[in-house]
Amino acid sequence: MFLSEDNMSQAYSGGDLAMRLAAVRQEIDDAVRAANRHPDEITLITVTKYHPVALLDALYALGVRDFGENRHPESRNKAEHLHERYPDARLHFIGQLQRNKARQVGRYADCIQSIDRIELVEALAKLEREPNAPLEVAMQLSLDGDTARGGVPVAQAEALAEAIAATPTLRLCGVMAVAPLEANAEEAFASTREASERIRKIVPEATMLSMGMSHDFRSAISQGATHLRIGTAITGKRPDQP
């Protein structure tokens, strides 16, 4: 059945969404305390893949300010919606990025977390940016070396960090990683933290550790995550691909 924009807004403004978000926030707080950390160290990025913009409005009303998307042009449309309505909302692009789409994404994303090869750096070097407003980016690490799923091999990460640091249009904020399938999440995130420490010797301000999703964010917090990317635990079942 087709839902109007008003009806979609009503569908996403019910108690289930608020309850799921509150439950995730409580689990984050519990994990933070268990790790002897402070809640202010954590940024929650809610992933809204395939959901309509009505969900973004409902999440914003519940206090969410950071949103994650991984497909262009869906991410562009949602970024435009957020930026028109909510000046303090941020759109993080977290999906694999094609070189021919890099500059398009760079024009609207507040942060691109999936920089994994020099070709993307070269494309984004051509962005038109104010000298004091470079685009925030994070390097995606491949923890198992399988670059088909995105990510730069850890052994090559420092060279990529140097290339980003030398690009005036970009500001390296840190690293992003996904725990490999069947891997021990805590061990995977520990290796991400160790790689991050090496990157910070090159770019001291690159403190972002974006790791942890719906099923493993507690392990990520225990290993120093600063940004969590959580989707279905908050949004519920994802709609079919449009």
Side-chain angles (χ1 to χ4, degrees), residues 213-230:
M213 299 186 293
S214 290
H215 61 288
D216 57 14
F217 68 83
R218 301 160 199 82
S219 296
I221 290 171
S222 76
Q223 297 302 317
T226 63
H227 291 66
L228 309 174
R229 310 179 309 277
I230 300 179

Side-chain angles (χ1 to χ4, degrees), residues 92-110:
H92 300 254
F93 188 86
I94 59 176
Q96 287 184 265
L97 186 58
Q98 301 173 17
R99 176 177 179 147
N100 64 348
K101 301 288 178 61
R103 276 196 287 171
Q104 296 178 58
V105 175
R107 292 188 186 105
Y108 62 76
D110 295 291

Side-chain angles (χ1 to χ4, degrees), residues 111-116 121 134-141 152 156-176 195-196 198-209:
C111 179
I112 297 178
Q113 294 195 19
S114 49
I115 303 300
D116 60 2
V121 178
L135 173 65
E136 295 182 10
V137 300
M139 291 193 310
Q140 181 177 352
L141 303 179
V152 59
Q156 302 172 22
E158 291 167 81
L160 185 59
E162 291 174 349
I164 296 171
T167 303
T169 58
L170 304 178
R171 180 167 75 85
L172 182 61
C173 295
V175 300
M176 182 265 268
S196 172
R198 294 193 295 274
I199 297 304
R200 290 203 301 273
K201 293 179 181 178
I202 301 168
V203 184
E205 62 271 24
T207 57
M208 172 191 283
L209 258 175

